[in-house]
Amino acid sequence: MKYIKKSDEPEDLAKFKASANEDWQPTYNDLRSKEKTNIHQKLLEEQGYICCYCGMEIDKENSHIEHLKPRSIFSEEQLNYNNLLASCQREREKKEPPHCGVKKADWYEEKLMLSPLKPNCSDFFRYTGSGEILPANVLDKKEKEIALTTIDKLGLDIDKLNAMRKAAIDGILEVVENLEKSEIKELLDSFDKLDNQGKYIPFCAVITYIIQEYFIGEK
């Protein structure tokens, strides 16, 4: 999970909400297709085209607008831009296991859900060379419960995601093993920056952890 720094809401969303009156209160379902498309695009750009939860690469075709606090329960948050994210699995095959926003569905417990809007969210997890996700060793009892619950409710530990993380790790290991430490640090810095297409490297938070843990030796 990588921290998402929210920006200002899209202008058309602000105008849409401002159109409320005594007889009509706007809802998410009232948004027109163009407005939803614009919101979706801004979320993708804001996140560097990676899923808000797992960090896999996403685009308009394979992602959807996710409500961190489900609108079925928190109706007052349904048009709050700070509650909107872009999550993977817009559609999935019948046998494909659900994860991230699809798996989370209408679940949300503020004290147990680790939000990607939390600046240090990436510090709650550690990863193995096989792509497994686990709670970080430095967590206290309550923080570990939050990490474990989030992993479970988002399905972040399913075989599919483990395999994708392993592939990302294996790919970077081939590069890192032939670099000097100064070069590794320079490479590490690049994973926290958008490329020339405005995108983050998929699973950049995972790769960053592996490099820091096994090649830099510092967090």
Side-chain angles (χ1 to χ4, degrees), residues 186-204:
E186 184 176 345
L187 178 64
L188 181 63
D189 290 339
S190 71
F191 289 114
D192 198 39
K193 300 175 182 177
L194 299 171
D195 64 17
N196 57 14
Q197 293 183 311
K199 297 180 178 182
Y200 285 120
I201 296 295
F203 300 108
C204 53

Side-chain angles (χ1 to χ4, degrees), residues 15-31 35 79:
K15 289 181 178 179
F16 174 74
K17 293 194 293 185
S19 64
N21 55 56
E22 293 182 359
D23 300 319
W24 179 74
Q25 293 298 315
T27 68
Y28 182 80
N29 286 336
D30 293 324
L31 284 169
E35 291 164 336
L79 292 174

Side-chain angles (χ1 to χ4, degrees), residues 21-210:
N21 55 56
E22 293 182 359
D23 300 319
W24 179 74
Q25 293 298 315
T27 68
Y28 182 80
N29 286 336
D30 293 324
L31 284 169
R32 294 172 298 183
S33 178
K34 181 180 178 181
E35 291 164 336
K36 285 186 179 180
T37 297
N38 290 341
I39 293 170
H40 194 179
Q41 180 60 37
K42 183 161 186 181
L43 293 173
L44 290 170
E45 293 172 359
E46 191 172 73
Q47 295 172 202
Y49 292 84
I50 60 173
C51 175
C52 60
Y53 298 131
C54 71
M56 69 182 289
E57 183 176 11
I58 56 173
D59 56 31
K60 280 186 179 180
E61 302 304 317
N62 65 8
S63 66
H64 67 273
I65 297 176
E66 156 79 352
H67 286 75
L68 180 63
K69 294 181 179 180
R71 57 193 172 105
S72 60
I73 302 172
F74 302 89
S75 60
E76 71 281 5
E77 298 289 342
Q78 62 184 304
L79 292 174
N80 178 1
Y81 184 67
N82 289 327
N83 190 48
L84 303 182
L85 304 166
S87 178
C88 60
Q89 279 198 321
R90 181 170 186 158
E91 296 180 356
R92 62 188 179 91
E93 301 295 332
K94 290 184 178 180
K95 294 184 178 180
E96 182 183 6
H99 54 85
C100 298
V102 175
K103 169 75 172 177
K104 175 175 155 287
D106 290 335
W107 176 81
Y108 181 83
E109 289 185 41
E110 189 167 2
K111 294 183 178 180
L112 290 174
M113 169 70 189
L114 181 61
S115 167
L117 305 183
K118 185 178 177 66
N120 69 335
C121 61
S122 62
D123 295 337
F124 278 68
F125 306 108
R126 62 186 175 91
Y127 305 91
T128 68
S130 61
E132 185 179 10
I133 182 172
L134 300 163
N137 290 324
V138 296
L139 301 181
D140 61 28
K141 183 177 180 180
K142 182 59 179 178
E143 291 171 333
K144 184 176 181 180
E145 182 183 10
I146 292 171
L148 284 170
T149 302
T150 300
I151 290 171
D152 176 60
K153 294 297 184 178
L154 298 180
L156 297 179
D157 57 349
I158 62 174
D159 291 343
K160 170 191 170 180
L161 292 179
N162 287 345
M164 293 178 74
R165 286 190 291 261
K166 182 179 186 303
I169 292 170
D170 289 346
I172 200 61
L173 289 181
E174 294 180 4
V175 176
V176 173
E177 289 176 347
N178 297 316
L179 299 178
E180 299 293 333
K181 192 167 185 177
S182 60
E183 294 175 313
I184 295 175
K185 288 185 176 181
E186 184 176 345
L187 178 64
L188 181 63
D189 290 339
S190 71
F191 289 114
D192 198 39
K193 300 175 182 177
L194 299 171
D195 64 17
N196 57 14
Q197 293 183 311
K199 297 180 178 182
Y200 285 120
I201 296 295
F203 300 108
C204 53
V206 179
I207 295 172
T208 294
Y209 173 85
I210 293 294

